[in-house]
Amino acid sequence: MHAFDVLGDPVRRRILELLSEGERSAGQVTEVAAAEFGISQPTVSGHLRVLRENGFATVRREGTRRLYAVEPAPLQEVDQWLEGFRRFWSGPLDALATELARGNRRDRQPSRSSHPDSSNEGDRQ
């Protein structure tokens, strides 16, 4: 299965988000996925299996529990593929950051009306 086929499913993306916060038991993953998506434990197990079989997650046993974690290698491959497209959003985001910085500098400068030497309405005819 191609990485984007794996990541194309919103449940699997949410599971990966959970796992990115740290190792989770299958029960913890099921609890969140069931609450957010209204799906059953067997359906969550199927998503975990797809993630594991396609290299996006690892599993280890601890007693009777199965603990899942993110496997970063496939995500790094996706990131490398996206590199060719970053130019479409990097420039506009850099420009936005510049404009925000300009606005912040303007906001920090004292306004002319608050300066004691500035004229006010009472001085005008």
Side-chain angles (χ1 to χ4, degrees):
M1 186 177 278
H2 190 274
F4 288 105
D5 294 326
V6 174
L7 298 174
D9 187 278
V11 175
R12 289 193 287 268
R13 285 194 311 270
R14 180 63 177 122
I15 291 171
L16 280 175
E17 288 171 1
L18 286 171
L19 299 179
S20 73
E21 297 168 3
E23 194 174 57
R24 304 273 180 155
S25 70
Q28 290 171 317
V29 172
T30 297
E31 187 177 308
V32 172
E36 293 181 11
F37 295 97
I39 58 177
S40 66
Q41 183 274 327
T43 302
V44 174
S45 291
H47 286 295
L48 286 168
R49 184 177 59 251
V50 169
L51 290 170
R52 190 181 68 246
E53 289 176 354
N54 287 280
F56 285 85
T58 60
V59 64
R60 70 177 181 87
R61 291 184 185 263
E62 186 177 88
T64 59
R65 296 177 357 151
R66 288 185 178 187
L67 299 171
Y68 289 84
V70 168
E71 175 56 48
L75 295 171
Q76 291 166 343
E77 291 173 21
V78 170
D79 185 56
Q80 288 172 350
W81 185 84
L82 286 170
E83 186 62 38
F85 298 93
R86 281 200 175 80
R87 63 187 163 93
F88 292 114
W89 62 82
S90 293
L93 287 176
D94 291 344
L96 176 60
T98 300
E99 289 303 314
L100 290 172
R102 284 181 184 154
N104 287 338
R105 281 193 304 271
R106 245 181 274 127
D107 291 344
R108 286 186 297 226
Q109 293 175 351
S111 67
R112 291 181 185 202
S113 62
S114 66
H115 193 275
D117 293 335
S118 67
S119 63
N120 59 33
E121 293 295 317
D123 293 341
R124 291 191 183 130
Q125 294 186 13

